[in-house]
Amino acid sequence: MTSEEMSEKKATHKQEKLRLATIWLDGCSGCHMSFLDIDERLIELSELVEMVFSPLVDVKVFPEDVDITLVEGALGTEEDLHKLKKIRARTKTLVAFGDCAITANIPSMRNPFGVEETLKAVYLDKEALNLQIPVESVPPLLPRALPLHNCVKVDVFIPGCPPSADTIFFALSELIAGRTPNLMDKTRFGA
Amino acid sequence: MTNEELIALAAQEAEDAKKYRYCLDICTGTGCMSSCSDAIATAIEAEVRERGLQNEIKVKQVGCMGLCASGPILSVQPLGLLYREMTPEEGVAVLVSLLDEKPQVEKRIDTLQPFFSRQERNVLENTGVIDPERVNDYIAVGGYTALIKAITEMTSAEVVQEVLHSGLRGRGGAGYPTGLKWSTVAKVPGELKYVVCNADEGDPGAFMDRSVLESDPHRVLEGMAIAAFAVGASQGYVYVRAEYPLAIKRVKSAIKAAEKMGLIGQAICGTPFNFRVEVRLGAGAFVCGEETALLNSIEGNRGMPRLRPPYPAQSGLFGKPTLVNNVETFANIPGIINNGGAWFARIGTEKSKGTKVFALTGKITNTGLIEVPMGITLREIIYDIGGGIPNGRKFKAVQTGGPSGGCIPAEHLDTPVDYESLKNLGSMMGSGGMVVIDDSSNMIDMARFFMEFSMEESCGKCAPCRVGTVQLYNLLGKFQAGIATEEDLTTLEELCDLMRNTSLCGLGQAAPNPILSTLRYFRHEYLEKIQPSVAAPPEEAL
Amino acid sequence: MSPTTPLIKTFTIDGKPVSATEDETILDVARQNGIDIPTLCNLEGLTPTGQCRLCMVEIGGTNRMVPSCVAKPDEGMEIVTDSERLLKYRRMIVELLFSERNHICAVCVTNGHCELQAMAQRLGVDHIRYGYLHPRFRLDGSHPRYEVDHNRCILCGRCVRVCDEIEGAHTRDLRNRGIKTLVITDFDGRWGESATCTNCGKCVHVCPTGALAEKGKSVAEMAKQRHFLPYLVMRRKGLKK
């Protein structure tokens, strides 16, 4: 979207801001950091969208009727899966945000080894004071870390680890303008 | 050996045979051998010796008699009686009943039943009749006369012409015109050319080539020698899988015997024609049935297909012009040379001439080896010859062409069996395996069984086959588990299309056929397994 | 025609009239004419094997597809290199390659220099529709200078060919078949203990991904140098004459 388009949109649709949500599941929050790197353009964006849920804002419950949700991170636990299904049901355009969401990326590196062996390697085979696999108050791991689209329908994919701020801004601008962004000349796996 | 010597030897054999009152033939093909049929032969022989009847009763170990479901089979000649499910004691009992002039009635097989009467045996004419380990037995039934005729009375071009005229097409599955292949190799200039017999039969449920090699190995050698003469080759290889120990043993002994007789080797029949044959063993990779992978394997390389062109006819084994034909194709040759191409072409349909050997397996009463004229309907094969579906179940489909073929449902049972008709139904002739499926089986299970086979047997060279087979196998697993989505069905079909069009060799290109044909005829079975909801559960259920 | 007169064939690629000598492949001619057909297993200087199937092109007027790296054109052929169907197949093949092993671009030594990664970007592959297989491999870091990580191998066979055809050592070959196919050193030994490896490093540099890399390189540091190969081949041919 050009800046003219954007100002036009601001003028005409002041009352109808799009409802944007972001969330991170099994990810490192790097994609969200990159999102913040949009810098001053965040202000432009805030004129067009309302941030209805995000780790960056203080809302506890994922709301209904969300227009766009950026989901960072893979599906690592049963809790992630539960959340994603809820998000899918409440979101119009679900965006797999970054490589973890698209390929399961770093979280998937445990997959060849299986849950048991992974937990043992992390919690029991390393020197530590209290050798035990945590079981209380932590959601159980899925047998394998999975990309989002293995479990729900995903509408848009933004590859990158993390996607650059420019890529994110472009993708959001296009989505706000009602277009499907073509991102492959801007980003790639591992970018 | 000259023609006269051959005729004299045949006459001598016939004379010798006359002096026996009875000849007891015991099937020692792999199927009956697995039920210890050799012990039956030993027991009867011992009894004959004990009674001192060696000059009256002949005990002979022969090849497959076809009705494998009733094995081990004992045949009594010249009465033409067949006995089923024999044990050593029962075999001796049959002998005793013969000596009492009251041939046992119990366990007799009805030799007038359609299983026998509806067949037309050319390739199999000697199987179950002659002792595969005695070259004289083969000569007694007219063996090697075709070879001698070819090399002494005909030119190479005439031999090729006769094969062209016969309309014979490759029996390995693809149905390429044999005469055309021969004439191509014949035309390619070269001092050294090879003839290779593809005996790497590997389809699940197929045992035609094994049975021919076990039961009548000289016939294949004769066909190869004629081919070598026709195309100008001097060296032959029989490429057999190591899982066929009996076939290997019999081919090897046949080569030795034929060499001793001067029927293969140097200056055959005093002509300048030389032809040596060696056996090469395959380590049991299905892909080595693909001719270029087979050639790689003979050369001692990894059994992976080569790119074509160049075709083996131009640059084959060790880079030399090479003729590769299947066992059954070679076994058809002596008949064509002896009786003429026109004789062969009178059998069958317009585009598919001659007879075809099939291995009938699965849910069918008469499991076994049959040979039928091309153009016979599937219904005749399954219901008349095969005796229908056992246990009161209903026919559901027949899988032809193994993992590269497809299934044919009941509504197409009246299709004539020929290369084109089967292809139009989304299946293929294949090498001759016919697996009958009844209504207790699920077609997704069947498709997945064959996909597992293709997955295990993919050579790993090209990505579409190497990874595609695994992805298809996993997707079929989701259908089996009832957790598939609409999208999975699309993915399944897209992957099939990809493999068919982009795989490097025939194995990969044909591997999706079991899925495609079950989708074509039994799509509802797939649709029933699709979850109504959009969200699929995580795939770790696999 | 006398044998000294080369037979020139004229045909078209994507509508553009082009010509080829007798031993040129469709890919050769396409490259000469600035038409970039995607490939992964092909590398100038090595025998083409047509196994990645990405370079397949359509022969106009027929349903036939051929691997352009090995197929030679016929007079009057109309070659299509970029139909929707070809693009679809290429995307699917790249997706299959990604699903096969554990390609984690973010932590790979060749991130940013990888041919598979670049191919995905070029073809617009932004996610993998097929389930990841997540196989498990042992890494071999026994060689003092190089390491092999099968997680990143796409079985293009370049390392096998360069070692056999150019270095003449044939240290590398393949083991198993199908999805279990694995590039091996000698008779499946450790690289550091190889009796045949000359430590030349050619395999490392022809490898399109991070499967073969120099030791001590961190994420995105392993850029490959391949210019030596056509040069070497050219010089050797020159010497033979």
Side-chain angles (χ1 to χ4, degrees):
Chain A
M1 190 184 311
T2 63
S3 30
E4 292 90 73
E5 272 183 316
M6 205 170 257
S7 4
E8 200 180 308
K9 191 140 190 156
K10 273 182 226 163
T12 50
H13 297 285
K14 204 138 207 173
Q15 300 309 309
E16 304 165 31
K17 277 189 180 180
L18 286 174
R19 289 161 62 80
L20 174 72
T22 78
I23 188 168
W24 72 63
L25 303 173
D26 195 352
C28 71
S29 81
C31 298
H32 274 76
M33 297 302 118
S34 195
F35 176 76
L36 291 177
D37 283 342
I38 293 177
D39 295 339
E40 69 278 6
R41 287 171 292 184
L42 279 170
I43 300 164
E44 273 177 59
L45 212 55
S46 69
E47 307 259 322
L48 296 168
V49 297
E50 187 188 348
M51 196 77 142
V52 293
F53 182 88
S54 173
L56 310 169
V57 299
D58 195 14
V59 177
K60 301 293 178 209
V61 180
F62 196 89
E64 301 278 351
D65 295 326
V66 180
D67 292 302
I68 303 166
T69 304
L70 303 184
V71 183
E72 175 192 335
L75 295 166
T77 65
E78 285 175 16
E79 187 194 14
D80 293 337
L81 183 60
H82 177 77
K83 279 182 183 166
L84 183 68
K85 282 182 176 165
K86 191 184 254 179
I87 292 164
R88 175 70 271 185
R90 296 178 179 185
T91 303
K92 279 201 198 91
T93 304
L94 194 147
V95 182
F97 183 30
D99 277 359
C100 291
I102 298 173
T103 72
N105 205 26
I106 311 288
S108 77
M109 290 174 81
R110 71 171 165 92
N111 290 357
F113 306 94
V115 170
E116 203 177 315
E117 202 178 324
T118 305
L119 289 176
K120 187 171 164 289
V122 172
Y123 290 102
L124 303 182
D125 294 350
K126 296 276 179 293
E127 219 175 315
L129 288 175
N130 191 8
L131 292 178
Q132 60 172 1
I133 293 174
V135 283
E136 276 175 46
S137 315
V138 284
L141 289 175
L142 291 172
R144 293 203 269 158
L146 296 171
L148 308 185
H149 66 268
N150 279 23
C151 301
V152 300
K153 185 176 178 296
V154 172
D155 303 299
V156 176
F157 297 86
I158 311 179
C161 186
S164 71
D166 286 347
T167 302
I168 297 169
F169 182 71
F170 173 78
L172 280 174
S173 306
E174 289 290 286
L175 286 170
I176 292 165
R179 293 189 287 260
T180 305
N182 180 9
L183 299 170
M184 289 319 279
D185 52 348
K186 297 197 160 42
T187 186
R188 53 170 161 76
F189 298 133
Chain B
M1 179 172 271
T2 64
N3 202 17
E4 291 69 39
E5 286 170 335
L6 205 65
I7 292 165
L9 186 60
Q12 182 61 45
E13 280 292 319
E15 198 57 38
D16 287 352
K18 271 187 202 153
K19 71 181 190 201
Y20 295 106
R21 244 171 90 198
Y22 295 114
C23 181
L24 275 68
D25 298 342
I26 293 107
C27 171
T28 52
T30 291
C32 288
M33 279 283 248
S34 66
S35 310
C36 302
S37 61
D38 49 341
I40 304 171
T42 316
I44 300 175
E45 271 167 0
E47 185 69 24
V48 168
R49 258 198 317 278
E50 202 164 294
R51 293 173 182 243
L53 297 171
Q54 289 96 319
N55 293 328
E56 261 183 78
I57 309 288
K58 188 173 181 188
V59 182
K60 195 161 82 177
Q61 302 195 7
V62 298
C64 181
M65 297 191 209
L67 196 56
C68 303
S70 303
I73 297 181
L74 169 66
S75 143
V76 178
Q77 302 301 341
L79 302 180
L81 300 177
L82 286 184
Y83 291 93
R84 68 185 147 82
E85 293 156 14
M86 287 284 106
T87 62
E89 296 75 37
E90 287 171 330
V92 171
V94 169
L95 171 70
V96 173
S97 75
L98 287 171
L99 295 174
D100 294 346
E101 300 293 342
K102 281 182 204 145
Q104 181 183 315
V105 177
E106 202 195 336
K107 286 210 167 177
R108 227 189 257 176
I109 298 172
D110 171 15
T111 51
L112 298 175
Q113 62 173 303
F115 181 84
F116 298 103
S117 63
R118 296 298 292 274
Q119 290 194 47
E120 183 160 348
R121 289 163 82 96
N122 293 325
V123 167
L124 301 181
E125 65 178 338
N126 303 329
T127 71
V129 176
I130 63 166
D131 179 346
E133 305 210 28
R134 273 190 85 235
V135 63
N136 285 5
D137 258 37
Y138 182 61
I139 290 170
V141 292
Y144 286 110
T145 50
L147 173 64
I148 290 181
K149 180 180 172 188
I151 62 178
T152 57
E153 296 171 25
M154 298 167 82
T155 65
S156 302
E158 282 167 355
V159 174
V160 172
Q161 205 53 47
E162 211 58 63
V163 176
L164 268 172
H165 195 49
S166 73
L168 173 65
R169 295 169 65 175
R171 297 298 195 236
Y176 189 80
T178 306
L180 195 57
K181 212 178 205 179
W182 285 28
S183 69
T184 313
V185 182
K187 274 179 199 156
V188 178
E191 286 286 297
L192 183 58
K193 295 183 192 176
Y194 294 103
V195 166
V196 174
C197 174
N198 183 348
D200 194 60
E201 177 176 64
D203 291 2
F207 49 88
M208 302 75 54
D209 295 347
R210 191 197 73 206
S211 296
V212 171
L213 285 177
E214 283 174 2
S215 309
D216 200 2
H218 285 285
R219 189 183 190 87
V220 180
L221 291 182
E222 188 179 1
M224 285 178 74
I226 295 168
F229 173 73
V231 303
S234 53
Q235 174 73 45
Y237 289 96
V238 184
Y239 186 86
V240 203
R241 49 177 38 222
E243 290 98 323
Y244 282 0
L246 189 61
I248 294 162
K249 177 176 159 243
R250 289 185 178 163
V251 173
K252 281 187 171 168
S253 88
I255 292 172
K256 258 194 198 143
E259 275 174 352
K260 222 171 171 179
M261 292 255 172
L263 291 164
I264 54 176
Q266 296 287 329
I268 300 171
C269 298
T271 69
F273 174 55
N274 304 323
F275 183 59
R276 307 194 73 86
V277 185
E278 284 176 50
V279 174
R280 285 286 179 275
L281 301 192
F286 180 66
V287 74
C288 289
E290 196 280 340
E291 59 180 10
T292 60
L294 184 153
L295 297 178
N296 266 351
S297 177
I298 294 183
E299 288 178 16
N301 295 323
R302 192 176 154 86
M304 275 182 159
R306 305 174 185 173
L307 289 157
R308 294 184 306 182
Y311 289 90
Q314 263 186 304
S315 171
L317 194 60
F318 304 110
K320 305 292 178 200
T322 304
L323 174 75
V324 187
N325 275 149
N326 158 275
V327 170
E328 194 185 330
T329 312
F330 283 126
N332 268 303
I333 299 299
I336 291 172
I337 297 302
N338 269 334
N339 308 315
W343 162 83
F344 187 85
R346 92 194 137 77
I347 316 165
T349 66
E350 195 196 332
K351 284 185 173 169
S352 304
K353 303 292 185 193
T355 54
K356 177 81 193 82
V357 181
F358 287 102
L360 271 182
T361 57
K363 304 291 177 62
I364 188 145
T365 308
N366 296 334
T367 303
L369 187 74
I370 60 163
E371 185 174 355
V372 289
M374 292 278 192
I376 189 172
T377 65
L378 286 165
R379 186 183 302 281
E380 288 172 279
I381 293 181
I382 290 160
Y383 284 95
D384 298 348
I385 297 175
I389 316 301
N391 306 323
R393 310 250 19 159
K394 255 182 78 184
F395 172 86
K396 186 167 183 182
V398 56
Q399 172 85 13
T400 65
S404 310
C407 67
I408 298 166
E411 64 257 37
H412 293 296
L413 268 177
D414 291 312
T415 307
V417 171
D418 61 58
Y419 290 97
E420 279 71 28
S421 304
L422 293 184
K423 206 173 165 196
N424 290 341
L425 292 178
S427 183
M428 66 187 283
M429 177 76 79
S431 56
M434 253 187 204
V435 185
V436 180
I437 298 149
D438 72 14
D439 58 353
S440 67
S441 298
N442 175 298
M443 298 313 277
I444 297 174
D445 293 348
M446 201 214 55
R448 194 163 187 246
F449 167 82
F450 281 112
M451 194 45 64
E452 182 178 13
F453 181 86
S454 294
M455 176 176 86
E456 297 286 336
E457 295 296 340
S458 167
C459 81
K461 187 168 181 175
C462 73
C465 174
R466 182 180 71 233
V467 196
T469 49
V470 182
Q471 293 291 1
L472 284 173
Y473 175 77
N474 287 349
L475 277 169
L476 289 173
K478 286 177 90 172
F479 280 93
Q480 275 182 323
I483 53 167
T485 61
E486 288 278 355
E487 214 180 333
D488 288 329
L489 186 59
T490 314
T491 311
L492 192 77
E493 293 188 299
E494 279 181 352
L495 274 174
C496 287
D497 176 58
L498 175 83
M499 283 187 65
R500 184 173 245 206
N501 287 298
T502 64
S503 294
L504 193 147
C505 81
L507 191 154
Q509 288 160 11
N513 285 351
I515 298 182
L516 290 170
S517 75
T518 48
L519 274 170
R520 178 167 166 185
Y521 297 116
F522 300 95
R523 198 178 182 86
H524 58 276
E525 294 194 11
Y526 286 83
L527 295 177
E528 280 160 15
K529 296 286 186 174
I530 289 180
Q531 278 213 330
S533 75
V534 185
E539 60 170 22
E540 66 270 9
L542 296 174
Chain C
M1 192 178 289
S2 77
T4 48
T5 322
L7 181 70
I8 302 289
K9 292 170 281 190
T10 57
F11 60 107
T12 66
I13 302 182
D14 296 337
K16 184 176 180 176
V18 293
S19 63
T21 60
E22 227 169 327
D23 47 5
E24 281 175 327
T25 63
I26 296 170
L27 182 68
D28 292 333
V29 180
R31 285 184 175 164
Q32 289 159 17
N33 288 278
I35 297 163
D36 185 15
I37 301 173
T39 62
L40 278 177
C41 68
N42 187 269
L43 193 63
E44 196 186 342
L46 299 180
T47 307
T49 52
Q51 65 191 76
C52 76
R53 315 309 278 172
L54 286 174
C55 75
M56 291 191 95
V57 293
E58 285 173 348
I59 298 174
T62 72
N63 202 25
R64 257 184 77 212
M65 291 173 27
V66 291
S68 62
C69 67
V70 285
K72 305 216 169 112
D74 286 339
E75 178 66 35
M77 254 184 187
E78 291 166 15
I79 303 292
V80 180
T81 72
D82 61 353
S83 70
E84 267 309 310
R85 172 171 161 228
L86 288 170
L87 289 178
K88 179 182 155 192
Y89 287 156
R90 286 178 190 149
R91 273 189 215 114
M92 290 172 80
I93 291 169
V94 166
E95 286 180 65
L96 286 176
L97 287 172
F98 268 100
S99 77
E100 185 180 13
R101 296 202 171 174
N102 305 304
H103 295 279
I104 317 279
C105 299
V107 294
C108 179
V109 284
T110 43
N111 188 4
H113 314 288
C114 171
E115 291 183 42
L116 179 66
Q117 182 187 37
M119 189 62 72
Q121 187 177 19
R122 169 177 172 180
L123 297 174
V125 174
D126 62 2
H127 70 292
I128 312 302
R129 284 168 296 170
Y130 313 120
Y132 289 99
L133 303 178
H134 294 303
R136 182 171 179 171
F137 295 104
R138 261 180 200 288
L139 270 58
D140 183 357
S142 59
H143 193 281
R145 283 162 59 195
Y146 313 118
E147 59 195 3
V148 50
D149 182 351
H150 295 291
N151 288 299
R152 299 164 179 163
C153 175
I154 58 168
L155 296 169
C156 68
R158 283 187 193 175
C159 55
V160 177
R161 279 177 280 154
V162 81
C163 190
D164 177 37
E165 297 173 8
I166 307 297
E167 185 61 8
H170 204 137
T171 299
R172 299 214 174 280
D173 213 314
L174 301 173
R175 173 185 104 171
N176 298 344
R177 64 178 178 234
I179 200 73
K180 296 184 187 121
T181 308
L182 202 64
V183 172
I184 53 168
T185 307
D186 289 344
F187 294 106
D188 203 13
R190 282 153 57 86
W191 195 355
E193 292 156 14
S194 168
T196 59
C197 176
T198 62
N199 309 321
C200 74
K202 290 188 184 70
C203 55
V204 173
H205 284 278
V206 299
C207 173
T209 69
L212 292 171
E214 288 167 1
K215 275 189 166 172
K217 290 278 200 287
S218 181
V219 171
E221 287 181 354
M222 184 66 225
K224 308 274 176 113
Q225 307 298 330
R226 305 204 174 99
H227 313 295
F228 75 92
L229 192 58
Y231 177 73
L232 203 60
V233 173
M234 188 190 78
R235 288 297 297 258
R236 283 189 185 173
K237 276 185 185 157
L239 286 178
K240 270 184 195 164
K241 279 177 192 165

